[in-house]
Amino acid sequence: MSVGLYDVTVPVFIRSLTNLASLLRKAGYQAALKGYPAALLLQSRLYPDMYELSLQIKRAADIARETIELYSGKNSVSFVEEVVSIEQHIAYVNHSISYLLTIAPRQFEGVLEQSFTLPPQHDERYTSLGYALFYALPNFYFHITTAYNILRHNGVEIGKQDYLGLNLYRNQGFQDAGSGI
């Protein structure tokens, strides 16, 4: 069995974005339970020069979608709603997941032979696999992890199992959810 570019991107993005949406649902629920506006979480950041939670969420969803648009040549439909509440951020993440679910492995045919430049300066060139492994996935995980850390830092009761999605998938009877591997 060979593992292709599709296998190391699309299912990985879907699973991690699904986990992120679950973390946000828990954050919204716990904020309501504890009596504070969940919107306060969205404005929180770990350090003054870092993006707040709202932008960490959006960047993670955007990186996944933009990477797959680049590889598949299939553009997604823009998310046109305002994104200010936890529920709207979950919808934003789900919008990217919905797009990713429309992508088939055959849409990646010929992509391995291509090379891509790194944004924003476009001054470094990578093979398509290098782009995924050394730019897109690390950048994606940086924003997912930072979102998780902001939630934890603000007292949202989540843990490693939530970050990895193990509780989410175990409860649904999946062993290797989100992956064809």
Side-chain angles (χ1 to χ4, degrees):
M1 173 180 163
S2 66
V3 176
L5 188 58
Y6 174 93
D7 301 309
V8 299
T9 55
V10 175
V12 173
F13 289 146
I14 290 171
R15 180 170 177 153
S16 293
L17 289 173
T18 300
N19 297 348
L20 178 59
S22 178
L23 294 173
L24 294 173
R25 279 190 292 281
K26 286 184 179 193
Y29 173 77
Q30 289 180 28
L33 203 61
K34 295 175 182 178
Y36 64 87
L40 287 177
L41 291 171
L42 295 169
Q43 299 165 9
S44 298
R45 59 183 82 218
L46 291 178
Y47 197 76
D49 68 350
M50 293 180 75
Y51 289 155
E52 68 272 6
L53 177 61
S54 175
L55 282 174
Q56 299 291 350
I57 295 163
K58 290 176 188 175
R59 284 304 302 141
D62 291 346
I63 289 164
R65 193 182 63 258
E66 291 165 2
T67 299
I68 301 311
E69 285 176 343
L70 185 67
Y71 287 158
S72 70
K74 180 181 177 188
N75 291 332
S76 64
V77 176
S78 296
F79 190 83
V80 294
E81 297 175 33
E82 187 177 25
V83 183
V84 292
S85 69
I86 289 278
E87 294 78 16
Q88 290 164 331
H89 281 78
I90 293 168
Y92 192 89
V93 169
N94 286 337
H95 177 77
S96 287
I97 293 169
S98 294
Y99 163 73
L100 295 170
L101 289 169
T102 69
I103 304 301
R106 64 179 157 62
Q107 290 173 276
F108 279 55
E109 289 175 9
V111 174
L112 275 178
E113 293 78 36
Q114 297 178 26
S115 64
F116 301 95
T117 56
L118 293 184
Q121 288 85 14
H122 299 285
D123 55 356
E124 289 186 60
R125 195 155 204 74
Y126 281 86
T127 65
S128 55
L129 185 59
Y131 184 90
L133 296 177
F134 304 121
Y135 175 73
L137 289 168
N139 198 11
F140 173 76
Y141 279 122
F142 173 84
H143 293 289
I144 293 278
T145 302
T146 303
Y148 168 86
N149 288 333
I150 291 169
L151 293 172
R152 284 290 296 137
H153 179 75
N154 282 282
V156 176
E157 297 171 20
I158 51 177
K160 184 177 181 180
Q161 302 293 317
D162 299 300
Y163 174 84
L164 295 173
L166 298 180
N167 294 331
L168 180 66
Y169 296 110
R170 240 186 239 126
N171 294 338
Q172 296 177 7
F174 294 105
Q175 288 186 349
D176 197 11
S179 150
I181 300 172

